Amino acid sequence: MNSRIWLSPPHMSGMEEKYIREAFATNWIAPLGPNVDEFEHALSLYLEGNHITALASGTAAIHLALVMLDVKQGDEVIAPDFTFSATINPIIYQGATPLFVDSEMQTWNMDPVLLEEVILDRMKKNKKPKAIIFVEIYGMPANMEAIAEISLKYDIPLIEDSAEALGSRYNKRYCGTFGEMGILSFNGNKIITTSGGGALVSKNRDYTDKAKFLASQAKENTLHFEHLQVGYNYRMSNVLAGIGRGQMEVIGDRVASHRRINQTYREFLSDIPGLLFQSEPEEKYFSNFWLTSVIFSEPGEPVNAQSVIRALGADNIDSRPLMKPMHMQPVFKDYPAYLNGHSEYLFSHGLSLPSGSNMSDQDIERIVAGIRSAGGAK
Ligand SMILES: *Cc1c(COP(=O)(O)O)cnc(C)c1O
């Protein structure tokens, strides 16, 4: 059996262990400490001086963003239909209702036209949404200009779920810095990892300071434990932040590798009938291409999403169907959904290809051969 090729495995730089050893040498095995400070500092430098709070996960970051925007029982929050469930779960934690908005085919992210329709429809029902969460799926920036304009026009704050999009840019500006707050994930499969972790990003320091407070049990500044608010235990561990420091030293290389892999797939697979890549629609979009993702627009062809997933699996190669839309998830199916058919189309026609920055050229050749074999050819 050939060795396993994973979808997006961790890729260490070699520097991580030095920072972890520092944590051990100084016995700083606690949550928080110098590695957390330095990791936040490195992220802040990378993200154009935005303020950062390192957290236990991206999901925790979304949860705190909703808490800080005072999203509570009975509120409605606009959210993408085509995303991972972690975008949605924190809305439910708050007792609020998600309103799912379908995608545009250009970027596969939230359709701005549909977004405005949803807002107008809810306002007609005297229910103005409390916040908008949008996502940059597989690293592709959303249509920021249109989404930001709608947010401004109706005065509804934006939360940018950039869990998959660290290093992506729109009009040269980094993803994660567009919303009132942005969130990042450092889960093991993301473009950089701390084994598990996340961060809250904001231009507004009040938010990142408040997040630090809430994420460490909302302890007031007294010698005894005094609490005026409900707190959370959401801060990042100083040991894991050491991994993050080592990863930040190579973030530029990681983004370049993912983009190179994407380009290689395009070159090797250009002749497959009906195959379309998730692509940057215009010059101003710059994707980190975290996961190279494709659709087969002619599923009657022998090489299609299902046959490719089967053929790759037979050669011990990991691939995954595109996101199953939120409105189709049994756990979320009863919430309002504003649909145009795109997310369902993507789900039934597409897949993500292995995109790890530590793949070798031979790995890519094996994957390409696997895709071709799905058509019955060798
Ligand atoms: C990974 C991911 C998250 C959650 O991040 P965790 O760090 O795993 O909690 C949220 N949204 C999207 C789109 C993701 O891909």
Side-chain angles (χ1 to χ4, degrees):
M1 192 66 160
N2 276 324
S3 60
R4 181 86 176 157
I5 301 178
W6 297 98
L7 204 62
S8 181
H11 184 183
M12 293 298 108
S13 70
M15 261 79 80
E16 294 82 4
E17 286 175 73
K18 179 179 91 185
Y19 298 118
I20 293 176
R21 267 199 305 277
E22 269 176 34
F24 276 74
T26 54
N27 202 31
W28 218 306
I29 316 293
L32 302 181
N35 278 339
V36 174
D37 296 341
E38 290 299 327
F39 181 47
E40 288 176 345
H41 183 62
L43 279 166
S44 176
L45 284 179
Y46 187 68
L47 295 176
E48 301 153 3
N50 274 259
H51 303 288
I52 307 288
T53 295
L55 296 165
S57 69
T59 310
I62 298 172
H63 191 192
L64 291 182
L66 293 171
V67 168
M68 289 189 285
L69 293 176
D70 194 32
V71 169
K72 52 186 185 304
Q73 184 94 39
D75 286 336
E76 296 186 336
V77 175
I78 293 177
D81 188 45
F82 189 68
T83 188
F84 180 57
S85 63
T87 311
I88 310 305
N89 286 328
I91 301 172
I92 314 293
Y93 302 163
Q94 286 306 99
T97 301
L99 307 170
F100 298 126
V101 178
D102 213 323
S103 294
E104 53 168 18
M105 282 308 283
Q106 266 208 116
T107 62
W108 303 0
N109 290 312
M110 187 178 278
D111 180 348
V113 177
L114 206 48
L115 169 63
E116 186 160 23
E117 283 175 26
V118 178
I119 296 171
L120 292 172
D121 182 55
R122 300 324 275 190
M123 284 172 54
K124 242 185 5 223
K125 298 177 169 118
N126 276 321
K127 199 92 192 104
K128 185 172 154 184
K130 197 75 172 269
I132 300 165
I133 307 183
F134 71 101
V135 73
E136 288 128 357
I137 205 74
Y138 308 127
M140 181 64 66
N143 185 343
M144 301 293 187
E145 262 155 341
I147 292 175
E149 198 182 299
I150 292 166
S151 153
L152 204 65
K153 180 168 169 191
Y154 296 97
D155 192 26
I156 306 174
L158 281 179
I159 300 171
E160 186 182 5
D161 180 350
S162 303
E164 303 180 356
L166 182 61
S168 299
R169 282 177 276 165
Y170 180 90
N171 267 343
K172 305 235 154 69
R173 203 167 123 196
Y174 278 95
C175 289
T177 68
F178 283 87
E180 192 80 12
M181 286 173 260
I183 78 98
L184 304 172
S185 169
F186 311 113
N187 193 34
N189 60 346
K190 298 288 157 69
I191 193 136
I192 63 164
T193 183
T194 58
S195 163
L200 187 91
V201 182
S202 185
K203 287 176 281 301
N204 183 345
R205 203 184 165 143
D206 293 344
Y207 285 129
T208 50
D209 282 350
K210 183 80 187 281
K212 288 184 170 104
F213 169 77
L214 291 172
S216 39
Q217 309 283 24
K219 291 193 283 272
E220 296 296 327
N221 193 15
T222 52
L223 193 54
H224 67 275
F225 291 139
E226 180 79 10
H227 303 277
L228 305 178
Q229 299 176 62
V230 173
Y232 303 84
N233 187 1
Y234 276 175
R235 274 295 242 164
M236 181 178 277
S237 127
N238 192 54
V239 177
L240 299 187
I243 305 177
R245 283 180 77 183
Q247 292 272 282
M248 278 310 288
E249 295 182 14
V250 292
I251 174 75
D253 298 341
R254 294 296 179 267
V255 172
S257 302
H258 281 257
R259 288 183 61 85
R260 188 174 38 73
I261 289 163
N262 183 270
Q263 194 51 43
T264 308
Y265 277 129
R266 283 171 200 268
E267 283 159 19
F268 284 148
L269 298 171
S270 63
D271 60 326
I272 295 192
L275 177 63
L276 298 173
F277 286 81
Q278 186 195 32
S279 297
E280 296 158 336
E282 290 175 69
E283 189 80 358
K284 63 187 166 197
Y285 291 81
F286 179 93
S287 175
N288 66 9
F289 286 118
W290 169 58
L291 290 184
T292 288
S293 297
V294 298
I295 46 177
F296 291 87
S297 59
E298 295 174 39
E301 292 284 336
V303 181
N304 57 43
Q306 287 71 31
S307 71
V308 167
I309 290 173
R310 235 178 297 120
L312 293 178
D315 191 28
N316 207 17
I317 299 168
D318 201 12
S319 66
R320 186 170 297 135
L322 297 183
M323 298 293 175
K324 182 171 181 178
M326 294 299 107
H327 78 272
M328 292 172 70
Q329 298 290 353
V331 64
F332 299 137
K333 69 176 174 19
D334 295 329
Y335 295 113
Y338 293 76
L339 306 175
N340 57 22
H342 292 161
S343 65
E344 287 191 23
Y345 179 90
L346 291 167
F347 175 54
S348 57
H349 288 70
L351 76 154
S352 297
L353 295 170
S355 304
S357 41
N358 38 10
M359 280 197 306
S360 65
D361 288 347
Q362 287 92 320
D363 288 340
I364 299 188
E365 281 167 29
R366 227 178 96 199
I367 297 160
V368 167
I371 294 170
R372 292 190 176 285
S373 77
K378 276 288 153 200

